[in-house]
Amino acid sequence: NCLEKKTSKKQLIKATLLPGARCVLKSLKDAGIICALISNDSSSGISHFLKENNLEEYFCHFWSSENEPKKPDPLAVKSLCNEIGLSPDKCALIGDANSDLRMALQANVSLILGYISGWSKPPKLNGHQFLIHHWDDLKVLSPTSLPDNFIQT
């Protein structure tokens, strides 16, 4: 979850990017890592958020509430991975709800990260391999910066 919702004077919900999210997305792109987004928001809502925050260049694809199956069905993750040409065991998923983490586990995603800073009261997440308290917790390494003895599977 890289956004928070704020109510404007007209009672419209405006989603704003959380601190550090753009930096992580840029680091992922610079390292050649493919990013996609899965959400229960509509495709127009996702497109609007990406455009409003100048994030379109960071995501190759998204899966919305209009796609079938819907999140949190693990087949939604598998279908999204199929659309971007990757198997779930070659992917990571960052989720801010236990249903996201269960979905990732059931879809055989190899790296499952919990994110707790997107809420006014951080959720108690379980089922994650690592817990992210802030986007600055993530450091993206390019393949050239990995140690010689690093083994990639």
Side-chain angles (χ1 to χ4, degrees), residues 129-147:
Q129 292 157 306
F130 299 98
L131 188 62
I132 303 165
H133 294 90
H134 187 277
W135 288 116
D136 291 340
D137 292 347
L138 286 177
K139 301 295 178 222
V140 179
L141 301 175
S142 68
T144 58
S145 67
L146 296 173

Side-chain angles (χ1 to χ4, degrees), residues 12-27:
L12 296 174
I13 301 290
K14 180 183 178 186
T16 57
L17 201 60
L18 291 172
R22 181 180 312 283
C23 184
V24 169
L25 290 168
K26 182 179 182 329
S27 295

Side-chain angles (χ1 to χ4, degrees), residues 63-133:
W63 195 266
S64 74
S65 62
E66 291 139 24
N67 293 98
E68 291 290 337
K70 291 179 180 17
K71 179 184 164 188
D73 187 326
L75 289 175
V77 171
K78 291 180 179 183
S79 298
L80 175 57
C81 289
N82 186 54
E83 288 202 12
I84 63 173
L86 294 169
S87 65
D89 67 342
K90 301 293 183 197
C91 295
L93 186 138
I94 302 171
D96 65 350
N98 282 319
S99 58
D100 295 338
L101 306 178
R102 278 191 304 276
M103 173 181 66
L105 181 65
Q106 293 170 355
N108 296 317
V109 171
S110 64
L111 179 60
I112 302 170
L113 306 169
Y115 181 77
I116 61 171
S117 287
W119 301 96
S120 56
K121 181 180 178 187
K124 293 183 180 177
L125 297 180
N126 52 52
H128 53 78
Q129 292 157 306
F130 299 98
L131 188 62
I132 303 165
H133 294 90

